[in-house]
């Protein structure tokens, strides 16, 4: 057991992002990390990876998952398995009477997201999903939109790229994001949800139509498993707003870490761009003035740590965080539509 805080947290599986989340949570004095456990039916390598994660994070490994899924033992279950088990494990924890934080994506399709949401509602539990909407640059951009500095958003362009330079170190095992049996798909299911979250957060609008083209440009593991490494997605939102999104895992991305996220908003009276990686926001006004405001800190780390802090702030009072499983489900609808569009070669409506 690590820490003496009042919020008792257990990790359900430890193969994906668990180590980095444990580091962030351990640093919070409100947290007590109780243990790591997994299903007995998993392959040996998943169990071994989970045990190694527990040892490196100095958290007890618990052989019996049912022992950890106990409200008398933990308050919050953090699901860090391979994505194809996210929904099943989240539902098991919710049905056990626990609140749940799921690593992204919440499931591999909208149907799984719906099942998680229904389990949370049926059990009256808090359920949320790791996301990047607390990125400092994104929050600054949203404040500028709310203040009317750009007028009404008319078009949003988002680029989310992961650098292959860091593939071996930023992904615990490459097959976790390229083998559909583990990942549920390629980089669309891995990354498009972030962009869909950004669109909804910035505009408050739902996506109504999607046209997606996916490619395997760089071969390697993605080609071996038959999944996309890049995608270009055009989206229609309510009220005539449009968006374009580029996602991909490429040999070298123009950033300082494992991934970069840039956002450009074309408004009726101005233009603004943000870069999570620096991070900073630049605003170009109608009179030709330019404002550049650095925010400080590494964008990816700040986005996740800020969200976890926000979750822990609200947790003792049983207040839902500002990103819910319903938000994650909305983004899964966009991911589903993108895959349907790529398969048929035509724009498709978001279900």
């Amino acid at each position: 057991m690590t820490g003496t805080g009042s919020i008792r947290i257990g990790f359900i599986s430890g193969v994906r992002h668990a180590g980095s989340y444990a580091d962030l949570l351990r640093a919070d004095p409100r947290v007590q990390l109780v243990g790591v456990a997994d299903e007995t039916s998993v392959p040996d390598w998943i169990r071994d990876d989970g045990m190694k994660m527990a040892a490196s994070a100095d958290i007890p490994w618990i052989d019996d998952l049912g022992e950890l899924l106990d409200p008398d033992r933990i308050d919050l279950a953090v699901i860090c398995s391979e994505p194809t088990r996210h929904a099943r494990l989240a539902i098991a924890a919710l049905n056990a009477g626990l609140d749940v934080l799921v690593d992204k994506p919440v499931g591999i399709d909208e149907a799984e997201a719906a099942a998680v949401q229904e389990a949370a509602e049926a059990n009256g539990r808090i359920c949320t999903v790791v996301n990047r909407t607390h990125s400092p640059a994104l929050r600054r951009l949203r404040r500028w939109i709310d203040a009317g500095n750009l007028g009404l958003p008319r078009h949003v362009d988002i680029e989310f790229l992961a650098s292959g330079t860091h593939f071996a170190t930023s992904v615990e095992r490459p097959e976790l994001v390229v083998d559909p049996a583990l990942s549920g798909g390629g980089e669309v299911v891995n990354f498009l949800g972030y962009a869909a979250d950004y669109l909804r957060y910035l505009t408050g609008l739902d996506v109504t139509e999607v046209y997606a083209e996916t490619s395997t440009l760089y071969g390697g593991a993605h080609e071996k498993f038959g999944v996309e490494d890049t995608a270009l997605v055009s989206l229609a939102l309510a009220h005539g707003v449009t968006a374009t999104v580029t996602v991909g895992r490429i040999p070298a991305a123009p950033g300082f870490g494992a991934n970069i996220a840039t956002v450009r908003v074309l408004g009726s009276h101005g233009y603004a761009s943000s870069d999570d990686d620096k991070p900073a926001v630049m605003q170009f006004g109608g009179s030709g003035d330019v404002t550049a405001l650095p925010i400080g800190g590494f964008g990816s780390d700040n986005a996740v740590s800020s969200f976890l802090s926000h979750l822990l702030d609200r947790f003792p009072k049983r207040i839902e965080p500002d990103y819910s499983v319903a938000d994650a489900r909305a983004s899964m609808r966009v991911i589903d539509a993108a895959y349907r569009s790529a398969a048929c070669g035509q724009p498709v409506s978001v279900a």
Side-chain angles (χ1 to χ4, degrees):
M1 197 174 296
T2 302
T4 58
S6 60
I7 302 175
R8 303 167 302 170
I9 295 177
F11 283 84
I12 313 305
S13 193
V15 299
R16 190 77 177 98
H17 295 138
S20 59
Y21 297 161
D23 288 343
L24 292 170
L25 291 167
R26 183 192 296 104
D28 194 303
R30 296 169 292 184
V31 167
Q32 181 182 151
L33 299 180
V34 174
V36 185
D38 211 329
E39 297 174 301
T40 56
S41 59
V42 298
D44 289 344
W45 70 265
I46 290 180
R47 185 178 179 85
D48 290 346
D49 282 6
M51 294 177 74
K52 289 175 184 175
M53 172 264 157
S56 64
D58 194 27
I59 309 171
W61 172 263
I62 299 172
D63 285 321
D64 183 356
L65 176 58
E67 185 181 336
L68 188 61
L69 290 178
D70 181 352
D72 289 333
R73 186 155 194 178
I74 63 172
D75 306 300
L76 178 67
V78 183
I79 312 299
C80 285
S81 67
E82 63 281 16
T84 49
R85 285 196 296 147
H86 281 179
R88 184 173 82 243
L89 292 174
I91 291 168
L94 290 165
N95 287 342
L98 296 167
D99 296 315
V100 172
L101 170 65
V102 191
D103 193 14
K104 64 87 187 171
V106 64
I108 61 170
D109 55 32
E110 196 268 338
E112 287 196 349
V116 175
Q117 182 180 358
E118 289 163 7
E121 292 172 352
N123 290 286
R125 309 311 305 178
I126 292 172
C127 182
T128 187
V129 181
V130 174
N131 66 90
R132 295 169 59 104
T133 61
H134 279 255
S135 152
L138 188 73
R139 295 255 153 174
R140 175 73 61 81
L141 194 53
R142 167 67 183 269
R143 288 197 294 272
W144 284 5
I145 291 172
D146 289 346
N149 293 343
L150 311 179
L152 295 173
R154 302 309 306 158
H155 178 80
V156 182
D157 179 56
I158 299 172
E159 185 175 75
F160 195 101
L161 300 173
S163 177
T165 306
H166 302 281
F167 197 19
T169 54
S170 64
V171 178
E172 294 82 352
R173 288 177 179 263
E175 56 266 40
L176 289 170
V177 295
V178 297
D179 181 353
L182 303 172
S183 63
E187 301 303 341
V188 167
V189 73
N190 195 26
F191 290 140
L192 183 58
Y194 286 140
D197 288 344
Y198 279 19
L199 285 174
R200 204 157 182 257
Y201 176 76
L202 288 174
T203 68
L205 303 174
D206 287 321
V207 174
T208 59
E209 187 176 83
V210 174
Y211 175 66
E213 295 181 276
T214 60
S215 302
T216 306
L217 299 179
Y218 302 105
H222 292 80
E223 185 174 53
K224 174 184 175 182
F225 285 99
V227 297
E228 73 284 349
D229 55 22
T230 53
L232 176 62
V233 188
S234 299
L235 308 104
L237 286 73
H239 306 302
V241 176
T242 57
T244 49
V245 174
T246 304
V247 297
R249 194 176 297 274
I250 62 177
F256 305 107
N259 52 58
I260 65 154
T262 57
V263 182
R264 292 166 284 275
V265 179
L266 285 66
S268 58
H269 296 90
Y271 170 101
S273 63
S274 73
D275 183 343
D276 275 2
D277 191 47
K278 293 182 180 174
V281 172
M282 295 186 69
Q283 179 190 353
F284 296 80
S287 61
D289 55 308
V290 179
T291 306
L293 296 176
I295 296 171
F298 182 63
S300 182
D301 290 345
N302 268 348
V304 175
S305 63
S306 295
F307 175 69
L308 292 179
S309 180
H310 164 77
L311 171 64
L312 296 173
D313 286 343
R314 296 191 171 197
F315 195 83
K317 296 181 180 179
R318 309 285 308 144
I319 300 173
E320 291 271 358
D322 61 12
Y323 185 94
S324 70
V325 67
D327 295 307
R329 181 180 177 184
S331 291
M332 286 304 310
R333 291 191 191 101
V334 177
I335 292 170
D336 281 3
Y339 276 126
R340 294 200 313 273
S341 173
C344 72
Q346 299 292 326
V348 302
S349 297
V350 176

